[in-house]
Amino acid sequence: MKNFSSYKLEDLVNMKKILENEELQKQLLREIELRENQTISIEQYASNRLPEFYEEYKDQCLKLLSELSFTELNFLIHSARYSAGNNLGGYEEVVIGLREYIITNQYPTVVKTIDDYFIEKPEMIYFCEGVYNTLNYIKTAISVALNSKKGIEAKKDLFFDFDEKKELVTKNLKDISKHLFQLRQSVPNSRLCVGNQSLIKNTTKYGVTITKSQDKFISSIAFGSTLEKLKEGNYEETERLLFVPQCKMVKK
């Protein structure tokens, strides 16, 4: 137990109030019991998690991944290039390794290439887990779209309401960031595969100016969320950006 001299005056005053108030003592005990009984399944936040209905749409999903370019989903490569904390191997292992793989195999710069990369080199998942989680985040979003029975046949169908979603996410960036920050705080050793470093800053976002980094973050949320839930202020679909790395990282 820490020495009382190490606590701030505000903390000591709050302790005094609890000691003097029986109801506050009961509230404190209930909160301790709640947290002690709260169990978090690491599998729930594994980087390889996919919807239970993914297999049903796997072929269609992979077809769409073969149409989607790196440019159209620029937050994928951005997370590899600038979110080194997400990837044990950092820039050299992720970006250079992928680039050499693409050039050597004469692969097109489409999202499915990264899926092929991890299938052929599964050992690289451990070193590039942030990118791997982003890939599965994209697969999840596509699977949900296909499961919605809205006639998703080509990549253009995935973007039919993208601008409207992006506008909503931009408008509610502060609230969405707060939601993700609270989740990250409650899941030990977790982080976001996109926008992790700037999450706290985004919780206090004000003004209309959007940085390039924020634009990538906003785009990732818009792509991975349904318009219906965004309109409801339901941000549960954004939680798929969160994962617990196999290798413990320093949270930024």
mmCIF file of all heavy atoms in Angstrom, residues 182-231:
data_model
loop_
_atom_site.group_PDB
_atom_site.id
_atom_site.type_symbol
_atom_site.label_atom_id
_atom_site.label_comp_id
_atom_site.label_asym_id
_atom_site.label_seq_id
_atom_site.Cartn_x
_atom_site.Cartn_y
_atom_site.Cartn_z
ATOM 1 N N GLN A 182 -12.671 4.763 -23.715
ATOM 2 C CA GLN A 182 -13.183 4.054 -22.543
ATOM 3 C C GLN A 182 -13.034 2.547 -22.709
ATOM 4 O O GLN A 182 -12.686 1.828 -21.762
ATOM 5 C CB GLN A 182 -14.645 4.426 -22.306
ATOM 6 C CG GLN A 182 -14.829 5.856 -21.822
ATOM 7 C CD GLN A 182 -16.282 6.316 -21.815
ATOM 8 O OE1 GLN A 182 -17.184 5.573 -22.230
ATOM 9 N NE2 GLN A 182 -16.518 7.535 -21.371
ATOM 10 N N LEU A 183 -13.275 2.062 -23.935
ATOM 11 C CA LEU A 183 -13.107 0.631 -24.198
ATOM 12 C C LEU A 183 -11.645 0.234 -24.053
ATOM 13 O O LEU A 183 -11.323 -0.778 -23.431
ATOM 14 C CB LEU A 183 -13.609 0.298 -25.607
ATOM 15 C CG LEU A 183 -13.436 -1.161 -26.049
ATOM 16 C CD1 LEU A 183 -14.291 -2.081 -25.197
ATOM 17 C CD2 LEU A 183 -13.779 -1.320 -27.527
ATOM 18 N N ARG A 184 -10.755 1.033 -24.623
ATOM 19 C CA ARG A 184 -9.319 0.732 -24.541
ATOM 20 C C ARG A 184 -8.846 0.710 -23.093
ATOM 21 O O ARG A 184 -8.003 -0.116 -22.726
ATOM 22 C CB ARG A 184 -8.522 1.752 -25.348
ATOM 23 C CG ARG A 184 -7.065 1.355 -25.575
ATOM 24 C CD ARG A 184 -6.320 2.387 -26.392
ATOM 25 N NE ARG A 184 -6.062 3.599 -25.637
ATOM 26 C CZ ARG A 184 -5.345 4.627 -26.089
ATOM 27 N NH1 ARG A 184 -4.838 4.592 -27.314
ATOM 28 N NH2 ARG A 184 -5.155 5.697 -25.344
ATOM 29 N N GLN A 185 -9.413 1.574 -22.291
ATOM 30 C CA GLN A 185 -9.049 1.626 -20.870
ATOM 31 C C GLN A 185 -9.501 0.369 -20.130
ATOM 32 O O GLN A 185 -8.870 -0.057 -19.168
ATOM 33 C CB GLN A 185 -9.689 2.857 -20.207
ATOM 34 C CG GLN A 185 -9.076 4.182 -20.611
ATOM 35 C CD GLN A 185 -7.672 4.375 -20.078
ATOM 36 O OE1 GLN A 185 -6.686 4.026 -20.743
ATOM 37 N NE2 GLN A 185 -7.554 4.893 -18.885
ATOM 38 N N SER A 186 -10.602 -0.220 -20.581
ATOM 39 C CA SER A 186 -11.172 -1.375 -19.873
ATOM 40 C C SER A 186 -10.599 -2.712 -20.329
ATOM 41 O O SER A 186 -10.808 -3.737 -19.669
ATOM 42 C CB SER A 186 -12.693 -1.393 -20.052
ATOM 43 O OG SER A 186 -13.048 -1.663 -21.394
ATOM 44 N N VAL A 187 -9.901 -2.720 -21.465
ATOM 45 C CA VAL A 187 -9.312 -3.969 -21.979
ATOM 46 C C VAL A 187 -7.799 -3.900 -21.824
ATOM 47 O O VAL A 187 -7.132 -3.160 -22.552
ATOM 48 C CB VAL A 187 -9.682 -4.190 -23.466
ATOM 49 C CG1 VAL A 187 -9.086 -5.509 -23.968
ATOM 50 C CG2 VAL A 187 -11.188 -4.186 -23.654
ATOM 51 N N PRO A 188 -7.234 -4.645 -20.876
ATOM 52 C CA PRO A 188 -5.793 -4.566 -20.607
ATOM 53 C C PRO A 188 -4.939 -4.831 -21.847
ATOM 54 O O PRO A 188 -5.222 -5.735 -22.632
ATOM 55 C CB PRO A 188 -5.576 -5.666 -19.557
ATOM 56 C CG PRO A 188 -6.916 -5.817 -18.903
ATOM 57 C CD PRO A 188 -7.917 -5.591 -19.993
ATOM 58 N N ASN A 189 -3.895 -4.021 -22.018
ATOM 59 C CA ASN A 189 -2.894 -4.175 -23.083
ATOM 60 C C ASN A 189 -3.466 -4.041 -24.494
ATOM 61 O O ASN A 189 -2.866 -4.506 -25.460
ATOM 62 C CB ASN A 189 -2.180 -5.531 -22.965
ATOM 63 C CG ASN A 189 -1.516 -5.708 -21.621
ATOM 64 O OD1 ASN A 189 -0.954 -4.779 -21.077
ATOM 65 N ND2 ASN A 189 -1.597 -6.919 -21.073
ATOM 66 N N SER A 190 -4.616 -3.413 -24.619
ATOM 67 C CA SER A 190 -5.244 -3.275 -25.934
ATOM 68 C C SER A 190 -4.823 -1.979 -26.607
ATOM 69 O O SER A 190 -4.307 -1.063 -25.969
ATOM 70 C CB SER A 190 -6.771 -3.315 -25.807
ATOM 71 O OG SER A 190 -7.235 -2.188 -25.079
ATOM 72 N N ARG A 191 -5.062 -1.920 -27.912
ATOM 73 C CA ARG A 191 -4.783 -0.717 -28.686
ATOM 74 C C ARG A 191 -5.624 -0.731 -29.958
ATOM 75 O O ARG A 191 -6.202 -1.767 -30.309
ATOM 76 C CB ARG A 191 -3.291 -0.605 -29.004
ATOM 77 C CG ARG A 191 -2.711 -1.775 -29.767
ATOM 78 C CD ARG A 191 -1.194 -1.687 -29.857
ATOM 79 N NE ARG A 191 -0.753 -0.491 -30.563
ATOM 80 C CZ ARG A 191 -0.021 0.466 -29.997
ATOM 81 N NH1 ARG A 191 0.333 0.395 -28.743
ATOM 82 N NH2 ARG A 191 0.358 1.524 -30.695
ATOM 83 N N LEU A 192 -5.695 0.395 -30.633
ATOM 84 C CA LEU A 192 -6.407 0.468 -31.903
ATOM 85 C C LEU A 192 -5.418 0.244 -33.034
ATOM 86 O O LEU A 192 -4.276 0.697 -32.965
ATOM 87 C CB LEU A 192 -7.056 1.839 -32.087
ATOM 88 C CG LEU A 192 -8.072 2.303 -31.045
ATOM 89 C CD1 LEU A 192 -8.619 3.668 -31.439
ATOM 90 C CD2 LEU A 192 -9.193 1.299 -30.892
ATOM 91 N N CYS A 193 -5.857 -0.427 -34.077
ATOM 92 C CA CYS A 193 -4.980 -0.646 -35.223
ATOM 93 C C CYS A 193 -4.906 0.589 -36.112
ATOM 94 O O CYS A 193 -4.001 0.717 -36.934
ATOM 95 C CB CYS A 193 -5.428 -1.865 -36.027
ATOM 96 S SG CYS A 193 -7.126 -1.769 -36.651
ATOM 97 N N VAL A 194 -5.848 1.512 -35.943
ATOM 98 C CA VAL A 194 -5.843 2.789 -36.675
ATOM 99 C C VAL A 194 -6.127 3.901 -35.666
ATOM 100 O O VAL A 194 -7.087 3.810 -34.907
ATOM 101 C CB VAL A 194 -6.920 2.827 -37.786
ATOM 102 C CG1 VAL A 194 -6.885 4.167 -38.509
ATOM 103 C CG2 VAL A 194 -6.732 1.683 -38.774
ATOM 104 N N GLY A 195 -5.298 4.930 -35.647
ATOM 105 C CA GLY A 195 -5.554 6.096 -34.801
ATOM 106 C C GLY A 195 -5.284 5.922 -33.323
ATOM 107 O O GLY A 195 -5.782 6.714 -32.515
ATOM 108 N N ASN A 196 -4.479 4.946 -32.951
ATOM 109 C CA ASN A 196 -4.244 4.699 -31.535
ATOM 110 C C ASN A 196 -3.514 5.850 -30.845
ATOM 111 O O ASN A 196 -3.879 6.282 -29.759
ATOM 112 C CB ASN A 196 -3.445 3.404 -31.362
ATOM 113 C CG ASN A 196 -3.303 3.006 -29.904
ATOM 114 O OD1 ASN A 196 -4.269 2.583 -29.279
ATOM 115 N ND2 ASN A 196 -2.106 3.140 -29.353
ATOM 116 N N GLN A 197 -2.470 6.362 -31.508
ATOM 117 C CA GLN A 197 -1.636 7.380 -30.873
ATOM 118 C C GLN A 197 -2.375 8.695 -30.633
ATOM 119 O O GLN A 197 -2.097 9.404 -29.671
ATOM 120 C CB GLN A 197 -0.383 7.666 -31.729
ATOM 121 C CG GLN A 197 0.677 6.583 -31.655
ATOM 122 C CD GLN A 197 0.456 5.496 -32.702
ATOM 123 O OE1 GLN A 197 -0.656 5.329 -33.193
ATOM 124 N NE2 GLN A 197 1.505 4.761 -33.043
ATOM 125 N N SER A 198 -3.313 9.026 -31.498
ATOM 126 C CA SER A 198 -4.001 10.318 -31.386
ATOM 127 C C SER A 198 -5.384 10.209 -30.749
ATOM 128 O O SER A 198 -6.152 11.176 -30.759
ATOM 129 C CB SER A 198 -4.131 10.945 -32.778
ATOM 130 O OG SER A 198 -4.827 10.077 -33.655
ATOM 131 N N LEU A 199 -5.710 9.054 -30.178
ATOM 132 C CA LEU A 199 -7.061 8.836 -29.654
ATOM 133 C C LEU A 199 -7.413 9.821 -28.540
ATOM 134 O O LEU A 199 -8.494 10.405 -28.542
ATOM 135 C CB LEU A 199 -7.220 7.397 -29.153
ATOM 136 C CG LEU A 199 -8.617 7.027 -28.663
ATOM 137 C CD1 LEU A 199 -9.637 7.157 -29.789
ATOM 138 C CD2 LEU A 199 -8.638 5.607 -28.100
ATOM 139 N N ILE A 200 -6.516 10.002 -27.585
ATOM 140 C CA ILE A 200 -6.800 10.913 -26.471
ATOM 141 C C ILE A 200 -7.024 12.336 -26.994
ATOM 142 O O ILE A 200 -7.944 13.031 -26.564
ATOM 143 C CB ILE A 200 -5.659 10.886 -25.438
ATOM 144 C CG1 ILE A 200 -5.567 9.500 -24.781
ATOM 145 C CG2 ILE A 200 -5.877 11.953 -24.370
ATOM 146 C CD1 ILE A 200 -4.431 9.356 -23.801
ATOM 147 N N LYS A 201 -6.187 12.749 -27.920
ATOM 148 C CA LYS A 201 -6.334 14.088 -28.514
ATOM 149 C C LYS A 201 -7.686 14.236 -29.185
ATOM 150 O O LYS A 201 -8.325 15.289 -29.099
ATOM 151 C CB LYS A 201 -5.209 14.331 -29.522
ATOM 152 C CG LYS A 201 -5.230 15.706 -30.155
ATOM 153 C CD LYS A 201 -4.078 15.885 -31.129
ATOM 154 C CE LYS A 201 -4.119 17.258 -31.780
ATOM 155 N NZ LYS A 201 -2.982 17.437 -32.742
ATOM 156 N N ASN A 202 -8.144 13.174 -29.836
ATOM 157 C CA ASN A 202 -9.429 13.237 -30.547
ATOM 158 C C ASN A 202 -10.625 13.318 -29.593
ATOM 159 O O ASN A 202 -11.707 13.748 -29.992
ATOM 160 C CB ASN A 202 -9.586 12.034 -31.472
ATOM 161 C CG ASN A 202 -8.676 12.112 -32.680
ATOM 162 O OD1 ASN A 202 -8.241 13.189 -33.075
ATOM 163 N ND2 ASN A 202 -8.368 10.964 -33.265
ATOM 164 N N THR A 203 -10.443 12.883 -28.342
ATOM 165 C CA THR A 203 -11.541 12.960 -27.373
ATOM 166 C C THR A 203 -11.838 14.402 -26.978
ATOM 167 O O THR A 203 -12.900 14.691 -26.408
ATOM 168 C CB THR A 203 -11.235 12.155 -26.092
ATOM 169 O OG1 THR A 203 -10.077 12.704 -25.442
ATOM 170 C CG2 THR A 203 -11.008 10.685 -26.404
ATOM 171 N N THR A 204 -10.906 15.297 -27.253
ATOM 172 C CA THR A 204 -11.113 16.713 -26.939
ATOM 173 C C THR A 204 -11.144 17.555 -28.215
ATOM 174 O O THR A 204 -10.888 18.745 -28.182
ATOM 175 C CB THR A 204 -10.000 17.231 -26.006
ATOM 176 O OG1 THR A 204 -8.724 17.027 -26.636
ATOM 177 C CG2 THR A 204 -10.021 16.494 -24.678
ATOM 178 N N LYS A 205 -11.427 16.914 -29.325
ATOM 179 C CA LYS A 205 -11.424 17.580 -30.619
ATOM 180 C C LYS A 205 -12.415 18.743 -30.653
ATOM 181 O O LYS A 205 -13.560 18.614 -30.238
ATOM 182 C CB LYS A 205 -11.780 16.568 -31.720
ATOM 183 C CG LYS A 205 -12.027 17.173 -33.100
ATOM 184 C CD LYS A 205 -10.763 17.731 -33.703
ATOM 185 C CE LYS A 205 -11.015 18.297 -35.083
ATOM 186 N NZ LYS A 205 -9.837 18.975 -35.642
ATOM 187 N N TYR A 206 -11.953 19.896 -31.128
ATOM 188 C CA TYR A 206 -12.842 21.033 -31.336
ATOM 189 C C TYR A 206 -12.429 21.737 -32.631
ATOM 190 O O TYR A 206 -11.319 21.568 -33.118
ATOM 191 C CB TYR A 206 -12.772 22.008 -30.148
ATOM 192 C CG TYR A 206 -11.431 22.680 -29.974
ATOM 193 C CD1 TYR A 206 -11.154 23.912 -30.564
ATOM 194 C CD2 TYR A 206 -10.426 22.073 -29.214
ATOM 195 C CE1 TYR A 206 -9.917 24.517 -30.408
ATOM 196 C CE2 TYR A 206 -9.189 22.672 -29.058
ATOM 197 C CZ TYR A 206 -8.944 23.897 -29.644
ATOM 198 O OH TYR A 206 -7.713 24.483 -29.496
ATOM 199 N N GLY A 207 -13.354 22.491 -33.187
ATOM 200 C CA GLY A 207 -13.072 23.146 -34.458
ATOM 201 C C GLY A 207 -13.404 22.240 -35.626
ATOM 202 O O GLY A 207 -13.780 21.079 -35.465
ATOM 203 N N VAL A 208 -13.256 22.771 -36.827
ATOM 204 C CA VAL A 208 -13.654 22.037 -38.029
ATOM 205 C C VAL A 208 -12.465 21.523 -38.838
ATOM 206 O O VAL A 208 -12.644 20.760 -39.785
ATOM 207 C CB VAL A 208 -14.528 22.928 -38.945
ATOM 208 C CG1 VAL A 208 -15.825 23.284 -38.250
ATOM 209 C CG2 VAL A 208 -13.775 24.215 -39.335
ATOM 210 N N THR A 209 -11.256 21.935 -38.473
ATOM 211 C CA THR A 209 -10.072 21.514 -39.221
ATOM 212 C C THR A 209 -9.765 20.044 -38.939
ATOM 213 O O THR A 209 -9.671 19.630 -37.776
ATOM 214 C CB THR A 209 -8.844 22.370 -38.844
ATOM 215 O OG1 THR A 209 -9.154 23.742 -39.088
ATOM 216 C CG2 THR A 209 -7.629 21.967 -39.667
ATOM 217 N N ILE A 210 -9.598 19.273 -39.998
ATOM 218 C CA ILE A 210 -9.297 17.846 -39.881
ATOM 219 C C ILE A 210 -7.896 17.594 -40.448
ATOM 220 O O ILE A 210 -7.601 17.967 -41.584
ATOM 221 C CB ILE A 210 -10.328 16.988 -40.656
ATOM 222 C CG1 ILE A 210 -11.725 17.164 -40.056
ATOM 223 C CG2 ILE A 210 -9.934 15.519 -40.651
ATOM 224 C CD1 ILE A 210 -11.872 16.679 -38.639
ATOM 225 N N THR A 211 -7.042 16.959 -39.664
ATOM 226 C CA THR A 211 -5.694 16.642 -40.129
ATOM 227 C C THR A 211 -5.739 15.423 -41.038
ATOM 228 O O THR A 211 -6.740 14.690 -41.079
ATOM 229 C CB THR A 211 -4.761 16.345 -38.946
ATOM 230 O OG1 THR A 211 -5.197 15.137 -38.296
ATOM 231 C CG2 THR A 211 -4.776 17.480 -37.930
ATOM 232 N N LYS A 212 -4.661 15.178 -41.753
ATOM 233 C CA LYS A 212 -4.594 14.002 -42.634
ATOM 234 C C LYS A 212 -4.732 12.713 -41.829
ATOM 235 O O LYS A 212 -5.387 11.764 -42.257
ATOM 236 C CB LYS A 212 -3.271 14.009 -43.404
ATOM 237 C CG LYS A 212 -3.181 15.091 -44.464
ATOM 238 C CD LYS A 212 -1.868 15.005 -45.237
ATOM 239 C CE LYS A 212 -1.792 16.082 -46.315
ATOM 240 N NZ LYS A 212 -0.516 16.018 -47.075
ATOM 241 N N SER A 213 -4.088 12.677 -40.662
ATOM 242 C CA SER A 213 -4.171 11.493 -39.813
ATOM 243 C C SER A 213 -5.600 11.265 -39.327
ATOM 244 O O SER A 213 -6.095 10.129 -39.319
ATOM 245 C CB SER A 213 -3.231 11.655 -38.615
ATOM 246 O OG SER A 213 -3.308 10.534 -37.759
ATOM 247 N N GLN A 214 -6.273 12.331 -38.925
ATOM 248 C CA GLN A 214 -7.661 12.214 -38.489
ATOM 249 C C GLN A 214 -8.563 11.780 -39.637
ATOM 250 O O GLN A 214 -9.510 11.011 -39.432
ATOM 251 C CB GLN A 214 -8.144 13.554 -37.922
ATOM 252 C CG GLN A 214 -7.583 13.876 -36.549
ATOM 253 C CD GLN A 214 -7.936 15.276 -36.092
ATOM 254 O OE1 GLN A 214 -8.111 16.183 -36.905
ATOM 255 N NE2 GLN A 214 -8.039 15.470 -34.783
ATOM 256 N N ASP A 215 -8.255 12.240 -40.838
ATOM 257 C CA ASP A 215 -9.049 11.861 -41.998
ATOM 258 C C ASP A 215 -8.963 10.349 -42.245
ATOM 259 O O ASP A 215 -9.970 9.713 -42.580
ATOM 260 C CB ASP A 215 -8.577 12.615 -43.238
ATOM 261 C CG ASP A 215 -9.456 12.341 -44.450
ATOM 262 O OD1 ASP A 215 -10.622 12.745 -44.432
ATOM 263 O OD2 ASP A 215 -8.970 11.681 -45.395
ATOM 264 N N LYS A 216 -7.779 9.770 -42.062
ATOM 265 C CA LYS A 216 -7.616 8.317 -42.211
ATOM 266 C C LYS A 216 -8.434 7.587 -41.147
ATOM 267 O O LYS A 216 -9.088 6.577 -41.425
ATOM 268 C CB LYS A 216 -6.139 7.929 -42.081
ATOM 269 C CG LYS A 216 -5.185 8.602 -43.060
ATOM 270 C CD LYS A 216 -5.370 8.121 -44.461
ATOM 271 C CE LYS A 216 -4.250 8.608 -45.380
ATOM 272 N NZ LYS A 216 -4.071 10.070 -45.409
ATOM 273 N N PHE A 217 -8.377 8.091 -39.925
ATOM 274 C CA PHE A 217 -9.124 7.496 -38.814
ATOM 275 C C PHE A 217 -10.627 7.568 -39.087
ATOM 276 O O PHE A 217 -11.355 6.577 -38.921
ATOM 277 C CB PHE A 217 -8.772 8.245 -37.522
ATOM 278 C CG PHE A 217 -9.414 7.696 -36.277
ATOM 279 C CD1 PHE A 217 -9.392 6.344 -35.981
ATOM 280 C CD2 PHE A 217 -10.028 8.562 -35.368
ATOM 281 C CE1 PHE A 217 -9.976 5.843 -34.819
ATOM 282 C CE2 PHE A 217 -10.608 8.076 -34.206
ATOM 283 C CZ PHE A 217 -10.584 6.721 -33.930
ATOM 284 N N ILE A 218 -11.077 8.726 -39.528
ATOM 285 C CA ILE A 218 -12.497 8.922 -39.848
ATOM 286 C C ILE A 218 -12.933 7.990 -40.978
ATOM 287 O O ILE A 218 -14.004 7.375 -40.927
ATOM 288 C CB ILE A 218 -12.753 10.400 -40.232
ATOM 289 C CG1 ILE A 218 -12.624 11.280 -38.991
ATOM 290 C CG2 ILE A 218 -14.124 10.580 -40.879
ATOM 291 C CD1 ILE A 218 -12.556 12.766 -39.287
ATOM 292 N N SER A 219 -12.089 7.852 -41.993
ATOM 293 C CA SER A 219 -12.401 6.969 -43.124
ATOM 294 C C SER A 219 -12.511 5.519 -42.682
ATOM 295 O O SER A 219 -13.380 4.774 -43.155
ATOM 296 C CB SER A 219 -11.334 7.101 -44.214
ATOM 297 O OG SER A 219 -11.362 8.382 -44.796
ATOM 298 N N SER A 220 -11.622 5.101 -41.778
ATOM 299 C CA SER A 220 -11.660 3.714 -41.297
ATOM 300 C C SER A 220 -12.962 3.437 -40.560
ATOM 301 O O SER A 220 -13.570 2.374 -40.722
ATOM 302 C CB SER A 220 -10.458 3.421 -40.387
ATOM 303 O OG SER A 220 -10.566 4.082 -39.132
ATOM 304 N N ILE A 221 -13.409 4.395 -39.763
ATOM 305 C CA ILE A 221 -14.659 4.229 -39.018
ATOM 306 C C ILE A 221 -15.856 4.244 -39.968
ATOM 307 O O ILE A 221 -16.780 3.436 -39.839
ATOM 308 C CB ILE A 221 -14.802 5.334 -37.957
ATOM 309 C CG1 ILE A 221 -13.720 5.163 -36.884
ATOM 310 C CG2 ILE A 221 -16.189 5.293 -37.310
ATOM 311 C CD1 ILE A 221 -13.634 6.308 -35.904
ATOM 312 N N ALA A 222 -15.832 5.161 -40.941
ATOM 313 C CA ALA A 222 -16.936 5.245 -41.906
ATOM 314 C C ALA A 222 -17.064 3.956 -42.714
ATOM 315 O O ALA A 222 -18.174 3.479 -42.970
ATOM 316 C CB ALA A 222 -16.724 6.438 -42.837
ATOM 317 N N PHE A 223 -15.934 3.384 -43.112
ATOM 318 C CA PHE A 223 -15.980 2.148 -43.901
ATOM 319 C C PHE A 223 -16.490 0.983 -43.058
ATOM 320 O O PHE A 223 -17.229 0.130 -43.555
ATOM 321 C CB PHE A 223 -14.593 1.811 -44.454
ATOM 322 C CG PHE A 223 -14.597 0.620 -45.372
ATOM 323 C CD1 PHE A 223 -14.972 0.742 -46.703
ATOM 324 C CD2 PHE A 223 -14.245 -0.645 -44.902
ATOM 325 C CE1 PHE A 223 -15.007 -0.360 -47.549
ATOM 326 C CE2 PHE A 223 -14.272 -1.755 -45.739
ATOM 327 C CZ PHE A 223 -14.653 -1.606 -47.069
ATOM 328 N N GLY A 224 -16.091 0.947 -41.797
ATOM 329 C CA GLY A 224 -16.421 -0.205 -40.949
ATOM 330 C C GLY A 224 -17.741 -0.113 -40.217
ATOM 331 O O GLY A 224 -18.115 -1.042 -39.502
ATOM 332 N N SER A 225 -18.472 0.989 -40.377
ATOM 333 C CA SER A 225 -19.733 1.175 -39.654
ATOM 334 C C SER A 225 -20.907 1.267 -40.624
ATOM 335 O O SER A 225 -20.755 1.733 -41.753
ATOM 336 C CB SER A 225 -19.684 2.458 -38.810
ATOM 337 O OG SER A 225 -18.593 2.442 -37.918
ATOM 338 N N THR A 226 -22.059 0.848 -40.160
ATOM 339 C CA THR A 226 -23.261 0.983 -40.980
ATOM 340 C C THR A 226 -23.889 2.352 -40.730
ATOM 341 O O THR A 226 -23.795 2.906 -39.629
ATOM 342 C CB THR A 226 -24.293 -0.105 -40.640
ATOM 343 O OG1 THR A 226 -24.628 -0.022 -39.245
ATOM 344 C CG2 THR A 226 -23.739 -1.495 -40.936
ATOM 345 N N LEU A 227 -24.528 2.889 -41.749
ATOM 346 C CA LEU A 227 -25.151 4.209 -41.639
ATOM 347 C C LEU A 227 -26.232 4.214 -40.564
ATOM 348 O O LEU A 227 -26.362 5.183 -39.805
ATOM 349 C CB LEU A 227 -25.757 4.602 -42.991
ATOM 350 C CG LEU A 227 -26.434 5.974 -43.053
ATOM 351 C CD1 LEU A 227 -25.448 7.086 -42.726
ATOM 352 C CD2 LEU A 227 -27.059 6.186 -44.442
ATOM 353 N N GLU A 228 -26.978 3.114 -40.489
ATOM 354 C CA GLU A 228 -28.072 3.036 -39.524
ATOM 355 C C GLU A 228 -27.575 3.219 -38.090
ATOM 356 O O GLU A 228 -28.144 3.988 -37.309
ATOM 357 C CB GLU A 228 -28.804 1.689 -39.649
ATOM 358 C CG GLU A 228 -29.577 1.495 -40.946
ATOM 359 C CD GLU A 228 -28.688 1.162 -42.128
ATOM 360 O OE1 GLU A 228 -27.485 0.861 -41.931
ATOM 361 O OE2 GLU A 228 -29.201 1.208 -43.272
ATOM 362 N N LYS A 229 -26.499 2.522 -37.749
ATOM 363 C CA LYS A 229 -26.000 2.607 -36.373
ATOM 364 C C LYS A 229 -25.342 3.948 -36.087
ATOM 365 O O LYS A 229 -25.430 4.467 -34.970
ATOM 366 C CB LYS A 229 -25.048 1.446 -36.098
ATOM 367 C CG LYS A 229 -25.771 0.112 -35.996
ATOM 368 C CD LYS A 229 -24.922 -0.984 -35.403
ATOM 369 C CE LYS A 229 -25.758 -2.243 -35.208
ATOM 370 N NZ LYS A 229 -24.958 -3.357 -34.615
ATOM 371 N N LEU A 230 -24.674 4.508 -37.077
ATOM 372 C CA LEU A 230 -24.067 5.826 -36.881
ATOM 373 C C LEU A 230 -25.142 6.874 -36.609
ATOM 374 O O LEU A 230 -24.960 7.771 -35.782
ATOM 375 C CB LEU A 230 -23.242 6.229 -38.107
ATOM 376 C CG LEU A 230 -21.905 5.510 -38.292
ATOM 377 C CD1 LEU A 230 -21.266 5.922 -39.617
ATOM 378 C CD2 LEU A 230 -20.947 5.806 -37.134
ATOM 379 N N LYS A 231 -26.268 6.774 -37.311
ATOM 380 C CA LYS A 231 -27.372 7.718 -37.097
ATOM 381 C C LYS A 231 -27.961 7.574 -35.708
ATOM 382 O O LYS A 231 -28.444 8.536 -35.112
ATOM 383 C CB LYS A 231 -28.463 7.498 -38.149
ATOM 384 C CG LYS A 231 -28.132 8.052 -39.530
ATOM 385 C CD LYS A 231 -29.288 7.853 -40.494
ATOM 386 C CE LYS A 231 -29.021 8.524 -41.832
ATOM 387 N NZ LYS A 231 -30.137 8.324 -42.796
#
